[in-house]
Amino acid sequence: MAIPYRITGGHSRRSPLPLPTARAILAAVITGAVLSILCILSFTHSFSYLGFQPRSVDKRESSRKYLYWGARIDCPGKHCSSCAGLGHQESSLRCALEEALFLDRIFVMPSRMCLSSVHNTKGIIDSSNATSNPRWETSYCAMESLYDIDLISKTVPVVLDNPRSWYGIVSRSTKLGEGDVAHVQGVSRDELKFNPLYSDALLVNRTASPLAWFMECKDRTKRTSVMLPYTFLPTMPARKLRVAARKIKEILGEYDAIHVRRGDLLKNRKDRFGVERSLHPHLDRDTRPEFIKRRIAKWIPKGRTLFIASNERTPGFFSPLSDRYKLAYSSNFSSILEPIIENNYQLFMVERLIMQGAKTFVKTMKELDSDLALCDDPKKNTKVWEVPVYTR
Ligand SMILES: *[C@@H]1O[C@H](CO)[C@@H](O)[C@H](O)[C@H]1NC(C)=O
Ligand SMILES: *[C@@H]1O[C@H](CO)[C@@H](O)[C@H](O)[C@H]1NC(C)=O
Ligand SMILES: *[C@@H]1O[C@H](CO)[C@@H](O)[C@H](O)[C@H]1NC(C)=O
């Protein structure tokens, strides 16, 4: 659903209301009442399960200054041919959205997201042909195919930098002259907010770190500086993805879930003595079905329905778990997913909603102290390469 913009800046003069004041006020009151009832209805109906309550106003209507970070989220290579997985890009996007929230500006969001080829192999839905391991032959997808832009805008106002919404703003700002666009680099958030040089500009064009936007949120681990919860973007998938997840959850009934990351994290390399080394030395072992079974026994009782989200492609890999649990995968729901899923990012977003609805959820590796996890290796290891452990 597109919301058309009326661009009215601080410089334009307002014309007097055409309606008599009394009628105008009455109309406004009625419209307001109807809108708020509709809002309340739709929110309690569709978002109570999200665990995060978006505010019920589309903030794009009230604030009309813009913040631009660049045409792409993270652009590591010269031509942005490589990019990180969804989690990394979401960290970056969240960092930018937080700044827009802090500055009370509309965020100009890249209209496409880069799909990493590492994270976009097909075969989860169609598990019948894992040997051919085809790829989704695309390196980008439309942001709107992943996220519900209108839903995001209820918390942080967003426009996409596509012709429909963005070019009009740019041409208007250039017509208005230099003063209305501030090109900045290395200026602090506080200065952008409080120095009139920047705070008065219609558009702040901010050059974000091309390697990873989230570098701009260096204090992001400090809880007090986090304005958006980590659950924010994971609860904002496009409507068709949310609908699919809801259907699947209804079919599953009450269930538990495990997220088993294997392929992408199992990279080993040889050291100078030819010895295999890994950043997550216990991961390969701990994500094998026999170890998973032993590990989760104390958390998930026998006989439960267990939803498994994994990038493991070997057919029947998790079958040994079926003597304890009733196993379910995305591939069990291909009739729901196949018509709507075009890439792995969308699929993972649906799986993530399903995992959020599990009674007990076990991650691959711990992020928070309260998390249950399959493996005790630290997730954020990028330096210490150790000899992998396969024995018990
Ligand atoms: C599996 O993929 C290969 C290579 O793309 C193809 O030749 C084969 O016919 C496929 N098999 C099935 C059962 O779809
Ligand atoms: C933003 O600034 C960069 C250089 O810092 C420039 O290449 C780009 O065209 C600018 N974009 C807009 C929309 O002003
Ligand atoms: C999912 O499919 C597998 C076979 O691929 C089957 O063993 C299992 O029972 C199915 N699970 C559900 C919940 O239908």
Side-chain angles (χ1 to χ4, degrees):
M1 189 179 63
I3 294 184
Y5 290 96
R6 203 161 44 91
I7 309 301
T8 58
H11 302 285
S12 65
R13 222 178 285 124
R14 285 183 190 281
S15 53
L17 286 169
L19 280 171
T21 318
R23 270 176 58 201
I25 290 175
L26 183 64
V29 167
I30 290 172
T31 313
V34 169
L35 281 180
S36 44
I37 288 168
L38 284 179
C39 281
I40 290 165
L41 284 180
S42 68
F43 283 127
T44 47
H45 180 67
S46 48
F47 303 124
S48 50
Y49 69 93
L50 296 179
F52 177 81
Q53 293 288 331
R55 263 176 274 163
S56 59
V57 204
D58 191 327
K59 296 187 75 188
R60 287 174 296 196
E61 286 306 306
S62 56
S63 103
R64 295 187 191 282
K65 286 181 181 161
Y66 298 86
L67 174 68
Y68 181 72
W69 272 38
R72 292 185 186 161
I73 301 173
D74 304 350
C75 183
K78 201 173 175 193
H79 303 289
C80 300
S81 55
S82 59
C83 59
L86 181 66
H88 264 80
Q89 292 194 67
E90 280 191 343
S91 293
S92 286
L93 186 54
R94 199 167 57 87
C95 177
L97 291 171
E98 281 188 346
E99 184 167 291
L101 202 58
F102 178 74
L103 300 178
D104 194 21
R105 284 174 176 272
I106 296 175
F107 182 65
V108 184
M109 185 137 105
S111 52
R112 299 193 299 181
M113 185 180 268
C114 171
L115 303 169
S116 157
S117 61
V118 180
H119 296 278
N120 201 28
T121 50
K122 221 170 176 174
I124 303 185
I125 306 179
D126 179 20
S127 56
S128 60
N129 204 351
T131 44
S132 66
N133 205 10
R135 287 172 184 281
W136 268 293
E137 291 298 341
T138 173
S139 52
Y140 288 99
C141 71
M143 206 54 104
E144 284 164 300
S145 72
L146 295 173
Y147 297 103
D148 186 331
I149 303 302
D150 296 323
L151 188 56
I152 290 175
S153 291
K154 289 179 172 122
T155 304
V156 188
V158 159
V159 292
L160 294 171
D161 67 347
N162 60 20
R164 207 175 58 218
S165 36
W166 172 231
Y167 294 169
I169 297 162
V170 175
S171 62
R172 180 173 170 274
S173 68
T174 43
K175 260 186 243 134
L176 286 174
E178 289 297 304
D180 273 313
V181 188
H183 296 274
V184 299
Q185 190 160 13
V187 176
S188 80
R189 229 166 244 206
D190 283 315
E191 188 155 9
L192 287 179
K193 189 178 171 88
F194 299 113
N195 183 340
L197 202 60
Y198 310 117
S199 61
D200 289 348
L202 176 73
L203 167 65
V204 169
N205 179 4
R206 160 117 150 61
T207 310
S209 166
L211 281 176
W213 280 5
F214 60 71
M215 296 303 285
E216 308 289 338
C217 291
K218 284 223 177 59
D219 53 354
R220 62 190 185 278
T221 49
K222 210 168 63 188
R223 284 281 155 181
T224 48
S225 67
V226 174
M227 295 175 79
L228 287 172
Y230 288 90
T231 51
F232 180 69
L233 285 170
T235 51
M236 297 290 144
R239 185 173 181 77
K240 63 175 184 177
L241 304 180
R242 298 203 310 272
V243 168
R246 190 159 59 216
K247 281 187 198 157
I248 292 172
K249 283 159 67 178
E250 271 164 20
I251 296 169
L252 285 171
E254 198 182 275
Y255 61 97
D256 302 305
I258 55 175
H259 183 205
V260 191
R261 280 182 75 175
R262 282 183 56 81
D264 58 326
L265 290 178
L266 290 184
K267 263 196 221 104
N268 286 5
R269 70 178 193 200
K270 289 205 167 89
D271 67 14
R272 62 203 166 96
F273 304 111
V275 178
E276 291 274 335
R277 302 251 167 196
S278 166
L279 288 171
H280 308 287
H282 302 91
L283 185 67
D284 191 7
R285 181 197 70 178
D286 291 351
T287 52
R288 288 174 186 272
E290 311 76 46
F291 278 82
I292 293 175
K293 205 193 292 187
R294 226 176 300 160
R295 176 91 171 192
I296 66 175
K298 55 183 174 290
W299 300 318
I300 304 177
K302 194 176 161 117
R304 299 270 304 166
T305 298
L306 183 65
F307 179 80
I308 302 177
S310 179
N311 53 359
E312 174 59 56
R313 295 292 183 278
T314 313
F317 184 83
F318 296 107
S319 299
L321 285 160
S322 63
D323 62 358
R324 262 188 84 84
Y325 304 108
K326 186 164 183 267
L327 303 184
Y329 313 89
S330 289
S331 56
N332 289 81
F333 305 97
S334 49
S335 62
I336 296 174
L337 294 172
E338 226 147 56
I340 61 155
I341 298 293
E342 296 155 314
N343 57 60
N344 260 10
Y345 288 30
Q346 289 179 321
L347 179 63
F348 181 63
M349 288 170 87
V350 173
E351 291 186 325
R352 197 161 57 178
L353 290 173
I354 298 171
M355 291 188 276
Q356 281 173 359
K359 184 155 180 274
T360 301
F361 172 50
V362 184
K363 292 183 178 178
T364 307
M365 284 179 281
K366 255 182 203 280
E367 282 161 283
L368 305 172
D369 283 344
S370 56
D371 288 341
L372 302 177
L374 298 173
C375 178
D376 293 324
D377 290 343
K379 187 176 183 195
K380 296 271 180 256
N381 179 16
T382 53
K383 292 194 187 74
V384 189
W385 290 80
E386 291 177 59
V387 179
V389 179
Y390 294 108
T391 54
R392 58 157 298 157

